[in-house]
Amino acid sequence: MYTLGTHSDWYYHGGCWGKPGLQRVADLCLEAGINRLYWRTHDGGQAKYPSRVGSINDGARYRSGQFQGLGTLPESFFNYRKYLDYSQWDQLTDMAEIASSVGLPYSHWYTIHEDDHGGNFSSAFLENHPEFQCRTRDGQAIPGCLDFWFPEVRNYKRAIVEELLAKPAERLLLDFLRRNGTPSADFQGHYRYGYNPEKLEAFRRETGLDALKLTPSLPEWSQWLQFNARPMTEFVLEIADLARRVNRPLDLLLWPVDQLAWMAFDLPALARAGAVHDVLIGSHTYAFSAAEARRQVEAMRPQLEGTAARMAPGLPAYYELPAEGFDRFVGEVERQGCDRMVLFESHALINSPLVERIRAASLDKSHHSRAVLAIRTEGSPDWARVPVQTGFLRAFAFDDGQTDQETSFQVAHDGQSLYFRFICRERTPQHLIPVPQYDHNNYNVAQLGYRMYWNPHESIHLALDFRHQHEDFVCFTVDPANDAHAGTWIDEVWLTPWQHTTHIGPDRWEVELTLPLASLEIDRPSGKILGFQAVRVQDRPREVSSWFNSKGRRLQPLEFGHLTLE
């Protein structure tokens, strides 16, 4: 069992700064039976050690009075990062030393394709050379994502790898998943980068073709893919040779897709050349089902067949991971003939019940055990007679969690349907419409579905663990424009009709939901208990709040509150 780890994640999830925090990571990994730890070297384009090559993550951005947060995430979410300063502390060397002392194999994990992370961790190289960013067909530059066709980019990245290879570690992992949140494939899974003007001209000189006129349906498209794949493939071959000289096996972290079509990356050629040892597989779906394990193996096996490269399917544990889900995933990995897998990421050992430790989850707070009663009505409820539930808590708060604008809700049932009404106070309702949208023309949106928090702007998210098994749940999402989405956690299939309406008033917006009890597998509602959580994502000001005390936007059925049907 391998795992990925990041110091700042552990610091946030109940850990501490300095070597004691690293010791805690090593101890818990060892206790959990982890036998390889990949430790993150960079946040975006900034080193988490005193690098002499590139920018260093010193927390300055978060100490700036101009920093107001990111997207829907408020400034308070980032408060702890004000104290993360790696300019004077080589935590990579310390982590390698501590891991060695307890017998935990340690490796470097470098997110090589990401020179920024959410607009917060850009490198000086990126800022000084915006012309080297990847571009789409319409000329749009992809923030934080550099094109390895440029020799300057390859030289810069090579220098960082050489710096890492000079530090103690047993292996080197190159992460090809992270591209600052902007996938390299469109909605259909076709490569969508590579359209820098210099590159287009070089391709025209080499092939006589105009790449702007090529589409995946044309046979010449394969020439365009190979042209884009050549620089990165040759670069990885060079890195593998550098690693081999210092006796470091090279591993890769990849999505479970056709690498050439999706990333313009020739994985089979690298595997045949013996350049790659283990291929760690990421998850687009964040699902821990047996079907996800099969999907990963089936996608990667043909690309590695006949080579010595080994697959390690990836179990996503960014959210609460029940022991049953863990066992199910592991069992399918073994049935697929794999003898290794990777856990994403190591702080799941705190968040999930996989290690016998007390979780730092504020269990003493009264909001942790909140419950609500859905009163019985005759037909559709008269909301004037239904109790109002108040007291939403701001996520990522370092104080009492009081929200900027109040959110409340009511809930009732009539034996046939479950009714919810949410009232969202709003000072500027005129700004609610149109609801901002993220780019839906990318592969990740298609795979994640509601797990990416559709819509990640102003919206209400109702989660129901209707079987009350602390594992799967269904999430209903509605925004002020009455656009809606529903899906279950494990497989996203939710075909049963449900009703939703919204209303925007002078000082609020409201949403009403009607959910058939039969669709929730409830035939005898009296006394039925459901796991329950409600979250409001707010656009102005940026704020995430929930009725039940939680870590925020993460929907974790093990920590839901209770909804009892009268």
Side-chain angles (χ1 to χ4, degrees), residues 44 105 282 392 423 489 506 524:
F392 269 57
I423 304 100
W489 174 249
R524 297 180 180 179

Side-chain angles (χ1 to χ4, degrees), residues 137-152:
R137 185 185 293 268
D138 60 3
Q140 176 188 358
I142 305 302
C145 185
L146 297 171
D147 196 315
F148 278 69
W149 180 82
F150 294 99
E152 294 89 344

